[in-house]
């Protein structure tokens, strides 16, 4: 049955929800507080990563967070503050960071990433619109034996999960990336991963959706939501009232704020990440993560992107030059001869990733409202999980069997 659907949020998750819902014949409207030209969906590393199956909430992260708390240029930085939501999130994170949670989460995260990779390929082959998509795999480059050993443990677990991982020497890495002079000891190579250019995909997806009749209301904030008993009736924006049969909340880091208007508890914290684009030729052709500093390197269409850091703090888009410079310094220390231009540093951008306390997204219907579906909390995997989330949301709203089980993604798991 054709339904009128309003999606709150026009990032990669919201757009993919719109894509699959309009494919099912629904009339879709997207409302976003921005003009959908910046933010996390535009500044991420563009990875599709089945190999990244360890959740953010894992043993050792608390210790690392405390160690790095006083270092504003560290890879994982938690800005301490006396805020009730932050303190509750931190407590839930601590409770979730167990070996048991990691073991339970690995197959879930792997499977949804594999589903998304398949859907990206289907989208590429559909001829709906053309976009950059390459599957070259991912190099996890390390400079110390300790980091290499830790990474190979994950590699061996990946093999157990049916993925292909190889422990490469520096010389073997050179064969894959011949035009780069690496300053590394070696790398773990995962052939399961792919990469894209977000700045290429996002505007093309928006143009395609508009062509298909999806309505966009941008630069409009949600000011209120009207509900009767167990159903949402309408959302009030800064410019209009939007009524619908179904609503999807996919507003990224702002989702928990809107959930509060519905007296719902969806714990989230904004994890700020930065990116630097270098338009000069770097010789880099393989996606890589520089392990010790968690810096991602992606060869995109027309430029190389260096992205990184996870800064858990308030919702803002302030650029911290120290963190930008730290990313550049790490990149230059891993790639001999690489020089990141001053203009690239000055034009660095940031985005806010919505982080749940257990490192798993929220995907599903709510108990409170029959016609509300939540799709948020994807943290660093937002880009990777866009199509899978969109497909699952469309299946839920269409009351179909879902492409995978939603165990672990329950919206009300924190009460």
């Amino acid at each position: 049955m054709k339904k009128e659907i309003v999606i709150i949020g026009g990032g990669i998750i919201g757009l993919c929800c719109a894509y699959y819902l309009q494919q099912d014949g629904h009339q879709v409207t997207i409302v976003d507080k921005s003009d959908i030209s910046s933010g996390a969906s535009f500044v991420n590393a563009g990875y599709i990563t089945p190999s990244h199956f360890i959740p953010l909430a894992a043993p050792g992260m608390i210790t690392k967070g405390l160690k790095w708390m006083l270092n504003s240029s560290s890879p994982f930085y938690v800005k301490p503050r006396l805020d009730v939501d932050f303190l509750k999130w931190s407590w839930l994170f601590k409770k979730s960071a167990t070996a048991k949670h990691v073991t339970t989460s690995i197959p879930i995260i792997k499977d949804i990433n594999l589903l998304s990779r398949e859907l990206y390929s289907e989208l590429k082959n559909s001829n709906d619109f053309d976009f950059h998509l390459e599957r070259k795999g991912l190099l996890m480059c390390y400079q110390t034996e300790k980091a290499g050993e830790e990474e190979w443990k994950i590699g061996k677990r990946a093999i157990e999960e049916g993925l292909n991982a190889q422990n490469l020497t520096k010389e073997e890495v050179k064969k894959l990336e011949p035009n780069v002079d690496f300053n590394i000891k070696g790398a773990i190579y995962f052939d399961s991963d792919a990469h894209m250019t977000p700045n290429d995909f996002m505007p093309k997806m928006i143009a395609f959706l508009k062509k298909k009749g999806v309505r966009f209301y941008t630069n409009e904030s949600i000011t209120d939501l009207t509900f009767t008993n167990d159903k949402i009736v309408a959302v009030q924006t800064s410019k209009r009232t939007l009524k619908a049969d179904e609503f999807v909340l996919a507003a990224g880091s702002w989702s928990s704020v809107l959930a509060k208007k519905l007296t719902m508890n969806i714990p989230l914290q904004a994890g700020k990440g930065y990116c630097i684009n270098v338009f000069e030729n770097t010789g880099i052709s393989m996606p890589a993560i520089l392990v010790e500093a968690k810096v991602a390197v992606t060869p995109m269409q027309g430029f190389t992107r260096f992205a990184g850091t996870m800064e858990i703090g308030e919702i803002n888009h302030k650029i911290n030059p120290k963190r930008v410079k730290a990313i550049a310094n790490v990149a230059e220390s891993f790639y001999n001869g690489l020089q990141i231009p001053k203009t690239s540093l000055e034009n660095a951008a940031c985005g806010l990733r919505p982080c749940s306390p257990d490192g798993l997204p929220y995907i599903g219907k709510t108990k409170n409202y029959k016609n509300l579906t939540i799709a948020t909390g994807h943290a660093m995997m937002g880009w990777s999980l866009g199509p899978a989330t969109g497909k699952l949301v469309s299946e839920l709203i269409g009351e179909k069997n879902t492409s995978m089980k939603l165990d672990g993604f329950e919206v009300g798991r924190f009460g």
Side-chain angles (χ1 to χ4, degrees), residues 147-167:
E149 288 168 9
E150 288 178 2
E151 221 37 64
W152 183 229
K153 284 180 186 176
I154 297 172
K156 287 188 283 189
R157 183 54 192 267
I159 294 169
E160 289 176 20
E161 290 293 324
L163 302 178
N164 184 24
Q166 299 172 50
N167 195 349

Side-chain angles (χ1 to χ4, degrees), residues 177-228:
E177 187 70 297
N179 297 320
V180 165
D181 181 14
F182 272 116
N183 178 27
I184 59 172
K185 286 194 178 297
I188 310 304
Y189 174 63
F190 296 95
D191 78 351
S192 55
D193 295 18
H195 69 283
M196 300 171 62
T197 303
N199 312 56
D200 165 64
F201 181 87
M202 288 292 287
K204 287 178 178 177
M205 173 66 108
I206 291 169
F208 175 78
L209 291 174
K210 286 181 176 178
K211 189 174 77 174
K212 287 292 183 178
V214 174
R215 292 187 291 256
F216 281 78
Y217 295 123
T218 56
N219 296 308
E220 295 190 27
S221 301
I222 303 296
T223 57
D224 205 2
L225 299 103
T226 308
F227 48 91
T228 305

Side-chain angles (χ1 to χ4, degrees), residues 218-345:
T218 56
N219 296 308
E220 295 190 27
S221 301
I222 303 296
T223 57
D224 205 2
L225 299 103
T226 308
F227 48 91
T228 305
N229 299 324
D230 59 356
K231 278 198 166 186
I232 298 173
V233 178
V235 294
Q236 181 70 46
T237 79
S238 48
K239 295 179 182 177
R240 72 194 80 237
T241 299
L242 296 170
K243 294 183 178 181
D245 303 307
E246 296 274 350
F247 295 84
V248 179
L249 179 55
S253 296
W254 289 266
S255 298
S256 57
V257 178
L258 292 172
K260 280 184 180 179
K261 292 181 180 287
L262 297 166
T263 63
M264 289 171 53
N265 180 37
I266 301 179
L268 284 174
Q269 285 293 306
K272 188 183 293 182
Y274 295 84
C275 86
I276 303 166
N277 295 333
V278 175
F279 293 90
E280 288 77 5
N281 181 23
T282 61
I284 297 168
S285 64
M286 287 287 294
I289 288 182
L290 315 180
V291 170
E292 284 86 349
K294 311 297 183 196
V295 168
V297 184
T298 316
M300 296 188 177
Q301 280 195 317
F303 61 96
T304 306
R305 173 165 290 177
F306 300 89
T309 82
M310 174 61 84
E311 180 182 331
I312 304 290
E314 297 139 313
I315 293 181
N316 66 67
H317 284 91
K318 294 176 185 173
I319 300 285
N320 183 337
K322 283 185 179 178
R323 298 185 75 71
V324 174
K325 186 61 178 164
I327 292 171
N329 289 343
V330 167
E332 290 174 351
S333 75
F334 272 75
Y335 294 91
N336 291 323
L338 174 68
Q339 289 186 317
I340 295 181
K342 186 180 177 183
T343 51
S344 293
L345 299 179

